């Protein structure tokens, strides 16, 4: 089904439809995202609100409506942060993006602390590049729809260095990591931020 994660009513309806189809909710993967553009002094408020609306409010709405259902039987939540959730500069392309990804990590930690007593785990993954990603194209479309006029960055940044010199595979590496965190095999992992980044954050 289609769902605008920045729209709380749409998120609530999507979760209700899911539970109506399957009877319960055991796992949530909050993965929708977009990227902003520009340095802080060049960032329009519209861009700031749009990026945080998708990347942070979207995770908040999904968790808000999933948690009461999971409190009955336990469950696992995984949210996509980014290497930009730990490092600024070359790790993030915009202030709005960086702040949103730091926020996702904080949200997962707080959920893990507050809801562990209900058998609910929450963790964040921190991807680097994704092989074949359509993120740049979608981010450009999102910026157009948001009406953002943020200009391209004009100041050069350091070139990132990755020990494993390739992008990650969406299914076999990122997907497999998420499946593990959602599964009972990760039953004692909670409040973690797990880099899936080819060693980027170690450099």
């Amino acid at each position: 089904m289609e769902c605008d994660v920045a729209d709380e009513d749409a998120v609530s309806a999507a979760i209700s439809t899911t539970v109506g189809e399957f009877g319960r909710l055991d796992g949530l993967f909050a993965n929708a995202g977009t990227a902003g553009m520009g340095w802080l002094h060049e960032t329009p408020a519209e861009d700031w609100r749009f990026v945080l609306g998708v990347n942070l409010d979207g995770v908040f709405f999904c968790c808000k409506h999933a948690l009461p259902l999971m409190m009955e039987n336990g469950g696992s939540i995984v949210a996509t942060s980014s290497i930009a959730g730990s490092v600024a500069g070359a790790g993030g392309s915009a202030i709005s993006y960086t702040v949103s990804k730091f926020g996702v990590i904080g949200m997962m930690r707080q959920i893990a602390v507050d809801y562990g007593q209900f058998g609910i785990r929450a963790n964040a993954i921190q991807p680097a590049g994704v092989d074949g990603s359509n993120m740049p194209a979608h981010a450009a479309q999102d910026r157009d729809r948001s009406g953002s006029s943020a200009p391209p960055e004009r100041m050069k940044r350091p070139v990132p260095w990755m020990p494993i010199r390739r992008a990650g595979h969406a299914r076999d590496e990122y997907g497999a990591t998420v499946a593990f965190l959602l599964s009972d095999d990760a039953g004692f992992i909670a409040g973690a931020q797990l880099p899936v980044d080819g060693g980027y954050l170690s450099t």
Side-chain angles (χ1 to χ4, degrees), residues 101-132:
K101 294 306 183 179
F102 268 84
V104 166
I105 291 172
M107 194 185 311
M108 293 303 103
R109 288 179 174 177
Q110 193 64 53
I111 290 171
V113 169
D114 290 346
Y115 294 90
Q117 61 185 310
F118 299 102
I120 298 171
R121 297 179 297 105
N123 296 287
I125 63 166
Q126 294 185 273
V130 181
D131 186 32

Side-chain angles (χ1 to χ4, degrees), residues 5-195:
V5 297
D7 181 340
E8 183 173 4
D9 290 338
V11 171
S12 176
I15 290 178
S16 295
T17 299
T18 300
V19 174
E21 178 72 20
F22 297 101
R24 55 188 281 172
L25 186 66
D26 298 296
L28 168 68
F29 179 31
N31 184 52
T34 189
M37 198 174 176
W39 296 67
L40 192 150
H41 69 281
E42 299 173 332
T43 300
E46 294 82 3
D47 179 79
W48 172 267
R49 286 192 290 266
F50 179 76
V51 175
L52 267 69
V54 174
N55 292 2
L56 198 54
D57 291 355
V59 178
F60 167 72
F61 293 146
C62 288
C63 293
K64 176 182 176 180
H65 291 278
L67 281 166
L69 300 167
M70 290 184 176
M71 289 170 71
E72 301 173 9
N73 301 295
S76 177
I77 296 171
V78 180
T80 299
S81 177
S82 167
I83 53 175
S86 290
V87 293
S93 61
I95 185 67
S96 54
Y97 184 79
T98 300
V99 168
S100 70
K101 294 306 183 179
F102 268 84
V104 166
I105 291 172
M107 194 185 311
M108 293 303 103
R109 288 179 174 177
Q110 193 64 53
I111 290 171
V113 169
D114 290 346
Y115 294 90
Q117 61 185 310
F118 299 102
I120 298 171
R121 297 179 297 105
N123 296 287
I125 63 166
Q126 294 185 273
V130 181
D131 186 32
S133 173
N134 58 7
M135 179 70 165
H138 281 300
Q141 293 169 0
D142 286 345
R143 282 194 296 271
D144 290 343
R145 279 195 294 269
S146 74
S148 170
S149 58
E153 58 186 295
R154 290 194 289 266
M155 291 180 265
K156 291 186 177 181
R157 298 172 180 267
V159 177
W161 189 82
M162 295 186 53
I164 299 178
R165 302 199 62 77
R166 62 171 176 80
H169 299 308
R171 176 173 175 168
D172 296 336
E173 291 168 338
Y174 294 119
T177 301
V178 171
F180 166 69
L181 289 173
L182 289 172
S183 76
D184 292 339
D185 290 337
F188 206 53
I189 300 176
Q193 54 190 84
L194 181 60

